[in-house]
Coordinates of all heavy atoms in Angstrom, one line a residue:
T1 N 135.6 73.5 96.5 CA 136.0 72.2 96.0 C 136.2 71.2 97.2 O 136.3 70.0 96.9 CB 137.3 72.2 95.3 OG1 138.4 72.6 96.2 CG2 137.3 73.3 94.1
R2 N 136.2 71.7 98.4 CA 136.4 70.8 99.6 C 137.8 70.3 99.7 O 138.2 69.5 100.6 CB 135.4 69.7 99.8 CG 134.2 70.0 100.6 CD 133.3 71.0 99.9 NE 132.6 70.4 98.8 CZ 132.0 71.1 97.9 NH1 131.9 72.4 98.0 NH2 131.4 70.5 96.9
A3 N 138.7 70.8 98.8 CA 140.1 70.3 98.8 C 140.8 70.9 100.1 O 140.5 72.0 100.6 CB 140.8 70.8 97.6
V4 N 141.7 70.0 100.7 CA 142.4 70.4 101.9 C 143.9 70.5 101.6 O 144.5 69.7 101.0 CB 142.2 69.4 103.0 CG1 143.0 69.7 104.3 CG2 140.7 69.3 103.4
E5 N 144.5 71.6 102.1 CA 145.9 71.8 101.9 C 146.6 71.9 103.3 O 146.1 72.7 104.2 CB 146.2 73.1 101.1 CG 145.8 73.0 99.7 CD 146.1 74.3 98.9 OE1 146.9 75.1 99.5 OE2 145.7 74.5 97.8
R6 N 147.7 71.2 103.5 CA 148.4 71.3 104.8 C 149.4 72.5 104.7 O 150.2 72.6 103.9 CB 149.2 70.0 105.0 CG 150.1 69.9 106.2 CD 149.5 69.7 107.6 NE 148.2 69.1 107.7 CZ 148.0 67.9 108.2 NH1 149.0 67.2 108.6 NH2 146.7 67.5 108.4
L7 N 149.2 73.4 105.6 CA 150.0 74.6 105.7 C 151.2 74.5 106.6 O 152.3 75.0 106.4 CB 149.2 75.8 106.1 CG 148.0 76.2 105.2 CD1 147.2 77.3 105.8 CD2 148.5 76.5 103.8
W8 N 151.0 73.7 107.7 CA 152.0 73.5 108.7 C 151.7 72.4 109.6 O 150.5 72.0 109.8 CB 152.1 74.8 109.6 CG 153.0 74.7 110.8 CD1 154.4 74.9 110.8 CD2 152.6 74.4 112.1 NE1 154.8 74.7 112.1 CE2 153.8 74.4 112.9 CE3 151.4 74.1 112.7 CZ2 153.7 74.1 114.3 CZ3 151.3 73.9 114.1 CH2 152.5 73.9 114.8
R9 N 152.8 71.7 110.1 CA 152.6 70.6 111.1 C 153.8 70.7 112.0 O 154.9 70.9 111.6 CB 152.6 69.3 110.4 CG 152.2 68.1 111.3 CD 152.3 66.8 110.6 NE 151.8 65.7 111.4 CZ 151.9 64.4 111.1 NH1 152.4 64.0 110.0 NH2 151.4 63.5 112.0
C10 N 153.5 70.4 113.3 CA 154.5 70.4 114.3 C 155.6 69.4 114.0 O 155.2 68.3 113.5 CB 153.8 70.1 115.7 SG 154.9 69.7 117.0
D11 N 156.8 69.7 114.3 CA 157.9 68.7 114.1 C 157.8 67.6 115.1 O 157.1 67.7 116.1 CB 159.3 69.3 114.1 CG 159.7 70.0 115.4 OD1 159.7 69.3 116.4 OD2 160.0 71.2 115.4
E12 N 158.6 66.5 114.9 CA 158.5 65.3 115.8 C 159.1 65.5 117.2 O 158.8 64.7 118.1 CB 159.1 64.2 115.1 CG 158.5 63.7 113.8 CD 159.2 62.6 113.1 OE1 160.3 62.3 113.5 OE2 158.6 61.9 112.2
N13 N 159.9 66.5 117.3 CA 160.7 66.6 118.6 C 160.1 67.7 119.5 O 160.8 68.2 120.4 CB 162.2 66.9 118.3 CG 162.8 65.8 117.5 OD1 162.6 64.6 117.7 ND2 163.5 66.2 116.4
A14 N 158.9 68.1 119.3 CA 158.3 69.1 120.1 C 156.8 68.9 120.1 O 156.2 68.1 119.3 CB 158.6 70.5 119.6
Y15 N 156.1 69.7 121.0 CA 154.6 69.7 120.9 C 154.3 71.2 120.7 O 154.5 72.0 121.6 CB 153.9 69.2 122.1 CG 152.4 69.2 122.1 CD1 151.7 68.2 121.5 CD2 151.7 70.3 122.5 CE1 150.3 68.2 121.4 CE2 150.4 70.4 122.5 CZ 149.7 69.4 121.9 OH 148.3 69.4 121.8
E16 N 153.8 71.6 119.5 CA 153.5 73.0 119.2 C 152.2 73.1 118.6 O 151.9 72.4 117.6 CB 154.6 73.5 118.3 CG 154.5 75.0 118.0 CD 155.7 75.6 117.2 OE1 156.5 74.8 116.8 OE2 155.7 76.8 117.1
S17 N 151.3 73.9 119.1 CA 149.9 74.0 118.6 C 149.6 75.4 118.3 O 150.2 76.4 118.8 CB 148.9 73.5 119.7 OG 149.1 74.2 120.9
V18 N 148.6 75.6 117.4 CA 148.2 76.9 117.0 C 147.3 77.6 118.0 O 146.3 77.0 118.4 CB 147.5 76.8 115.6 CG1 146.9 78.2 115.2 CG2 148.4 76.3 114.5
A19 N 147.7 78.7 118.5 CA 146.9 79.5 119.5 C 146.0 80.5 118.8 O 144.9 80.7 119.3 CB 147.8 80.2 120.5
A20 N 146.5 81.0 117.7 CA 145.6 82.0 117.0 C 146.3 82.2 115.6 O 147.5 82.1 115.4 CB 145.6 83.3 117.7
L21 N 145.4 82.5 114.6 CA 145.9 82.9 113.3 C 145.9 84.4 113.3 O 144.9 85.1 113.6 CB 145.0 82.3 112.2 CG 145.5 82.4 110.8 CD1 144.9 81.3 110.0 CD2 145.1 83.7 110.1
V22 N 147.0 85.0 113.0 CA 147.2 86.5 113.1 C 146.8 87.2 111.8 O 146.0 88.1 111.8 CB 148.6 86.8 113.5 CG1 148.8 88.3 113.7 CG2 149.0 86.1 114.8
T23 N 147.5 86.8 110.7 CA 147.3 87.5 109.4 C 147.4 86.4 108.3 O 148.0 85.3 108.5 CB 148.2 88.6 109.1 OG1 149.6 88.1 109.1 CG2 148.1 89.7 110.1
V24 N 146.9 86.7 107.1 CA 147.0 85.9 106.0 C 147.4 86.8 104.8 O 146.8 87.8 104.5 CB 145.7 85.1 105.6 CG1 145.9 84.2 104.4 CG2 145.2 84.4 106.8
D25 N 148.6 86.4 104.1 CA 149.0 87.3 103.0 C 148.3 87.0 101.7 O 147.4 86.1 101.7 CB 150.5 87.1 102.8 CG 151.0 85.7 102.3 OD1 150.1 85.0 101.7 OD2 152.1 85.4 102.5
A26 N 148.6 87.7 100.7 CA 147.8 87.6 99.4 C 147.9 86.2 98.8 O 147.0 85.7 98.1 CB 148.3 88.6 98.4
N27 N 149.0 85.5 99.2 CA 149.2 84.1 98.6 C 148.6 83.0 99.5 O 148.7 81.8 99.2 CB 150.7 83.8 98.4 CG 151.3 84.8 97.5 OD1 150.7 85.1 96.4 ND2 152.5 85.2 97.8
G28 N 147.9 83.5 100.6 CA 147.2 82.5 101.5 C 148.1 82.0 102.6 O 147.7 81.0 103.3
A29 N 149.4 82.5 102.7 CA 150.3 82.0 103.7 C 150.0 82.8 105.0 O 150.1 84.0 105.0 CB 151.7 82.2 103.3
P30 N 149.6 82.1 106.1 CA 149.3 82.8 107.3 C 150.5 83.1 108.2 O 151.5 82.4 108.1 CB 148.3 81.9 108.0 CG 148.7 80.6 107.5 CD 149.3 80.7 106.2
S31 N 150.4 84.0 109.1 CA 151.2 84.1 110.3 C 150.4 83.7 111.5 O 149.2 84.1 111.6 CB 151.7 85.6 110.5 OG 152.5 86.0 109.4
V32 N 151.0 82.8 112.3 CA 150.2 82.2 113.4 C 151.0 82.4 114.7 O 152.2 82.4 114.7 CB 149.9 80.7 113.1 CG1 149.0 80.6 112.0 CG2 151.2 79.9 112.9

């Protein structure tokens, strides 16, 4: 469908970026 879902965003008081995606559970929620 090309639909996009936001899973996570860094908060305003830090700079935090994704280094790697580790696992994804059955509901599509990842550990990063």
Side-chain angles (χ1 to χ4, degrees):
T1 68
R2 267 68 71 194
V4 176
E5 294 181 9
R6 174 74 26 107
L7 300 176
W8 172 83
R9 188 183 187 190
C10 168
D11 64 56
E12 295 180 345
N13 301 315
Y15 181 87
E16 186 172 5
S17 58
V18 174
L21 194 153
V22 181
T23 60
V24 183
D25 66 23
N27 298 318
S31 293
V32 293

